[in-house]
Amino acid sequence: MNIGGQHLDNELIAQLITDIRQKKELRSLSREFVQEQLLLFLEREPKMLHFLLQNPSSRAERYKQIVKELRKRLRRAYGLFRWDEELHKRQQLVEELVMKKPQNWKKLVGQVLATHASTQERLSFFEHLYRQIFAITGKPKRIIDLGCGLHPYAIPFMKLKTLEYFAYDLSEEELQTLEQFFAFLHTKNPQFQGHAAILDLFHWQKLKHLKNADVCFLFKMTDVLDRGKGHKVTEAVLREVSARFVVVSFPTKTMSGKRMNYPKRKWMELLCNRLGYPFTVLQFPDEVFYVIEKKMVS
Ligand SMILES: C[S@@+](CC[C@H](N)C(=O)[O-])C[C@H]1O[C@@H](n2cnc3c(N)ncnc32)[C@H](O)[C@@H]1O
């Protein structure tokens, strides 16, 4: 394979990918995705590439450094939702839903959402949030959820009768569990249809092939997409996705629980102004939501 004008042996790439994926929280990432991130990294870090080519041994200091750095980046961008224990718990809860169809099924859904801090936080305001969003957008009939994580488990809180929901993320296992949940929701309400599929948002060009939607959710994704390097990917996603409204959210607390100094994102507002998209800001305890109206791509 050629990177930055240098030849990199396929076996070496394969070995690096295997080593990076040794950590259990990174195991559900596809080799293809890890490879892409690895090549991107080596392209941007020619010195690292140079050292690697000089000494490709997995015992070499630089080799280990590359593995460590990639794991760090993947964890930061992706790993948060991928802890095996969490996933296992979700799988058990969804299985219980599907097999037993209990009377109090919404309680179980709450437990699924509580398996991760980010969705747990929203439990206290989900209904209020959707009421406010849909007061602006109207009741959507088709929703796209990009980098969905656990968010689709909150569908029952949306209180929408006729709904087609398209959820996209990266982990096959998570999406399989989600599909089971969607099938369960369909048994409860035949006017609900859910679809879960893999979509890597760094390939945002693919967004234009999706069906037109009324609303697209892009919750807590901009840091993941932009990775501290401007806001080009967020902008591309916002432009390309065929939805009348895009709802973008940001945490207003840091991961250690401190309140952020700038809970609103000025750049988001400047970007919307530049694109000519009007927006409304909705403030919730630990998260701020921008409901952005864009012109429908036909
Ligand atoms: C911070 S979480 C947000 C999850 C969800 N939107 C929410 O707010 O509840 C980030 C999500 O983005 C997904 N993700 C990371 N990189 C991605 C990419 N390149 N394409 C699509 N999804 C990605 C992760 O798997 C994870 O589920």
Side-chain angles (χ1 to χ4, degrees), residues 7 24 58 99 125 131 135 149 181 199 221 238 286-287:
H7 177 74
K24 77 173 180 189
S58 60
M99 307 298 285
F125 63 79
R131 223 178 300 128
F181 176 65
L199 192 147
M221 285 303 290
L238 194 58
D286 297 318
E287 199 165 351

Side-chain angles (χ1 to χ4, degrees), residues 115 148 166 169 242:
T115 58
C148 64
F166 292 86
D169 206 292
S242 304

Side-chain angles (χ1 to χ4, degrees), residues 132-147:
Q132 288 207 24
I133 292 177
F134 301 152
I136 299 167
T137 64
K139 282 195 172 191
K141 289 203 165 21
R142 190 180 291 146
I143 292 178
I144 293 175
D145 193 342
L146 299 176

Side-chain angles (χ1 to χ4, degrees), residues 132-189:
Q132 288 207 24
I133 292 177
F134 301 152
I136 299 167
T137 64
K139 282 195 172 191
K141 289 203 165 21
R142 190 180 291 146
I143 292 178
I144 293 175
D145 193 342
L146 299 176
C148 64
L150 304 191
H151 181 235
Y153 290 101
I155 290 171
F157 295 92
M158 294 179 196
K159 303 207 182 304
L160 298 168
K161 189 130 179 77
T162 307
L163 178 64
E164 205 179 358
Y165 202 97
F166 292 86
Y168 297 101
D169 206 292
L170 292 178
S171 159
E172 264 168 40
E173 281 161 302
E174 289 280 4
L175 293 172
Q176 272 166 15
T177 312
L178 197 53
E179 289 240 293
Q180 279 180 280
F181 176 65
F182 285 163
F184 167 78
L185 287 185
H186 182 69
T187 64
K188 289 273 150 205
N189 168 20

Side-chain angles (χ1 to χ4, degrees), residues 33 77-78 80-82 118-119 122 145-151 168-171 199-202 218-221 224-225 249 287:
F33 182 72
Y78 181 85
L80 295 176
F81 279 100
R82 303 288 164 247
S118 176
T119 33
R122 295 185 192 132
D145 193 342
L146 299 176
C148 64
L150 304 191
H151 181 235
Y168 297 101
D169 206 292
L170 292 178
S171 159
L199 192 147
D200 178 354
L201 287 172
F202 289 113
L218 192 67
F219 285 2
K220 292 192 180 172
M221 285 303 290
V224 170
L225 298 177
S249 88
E287 199 165 351

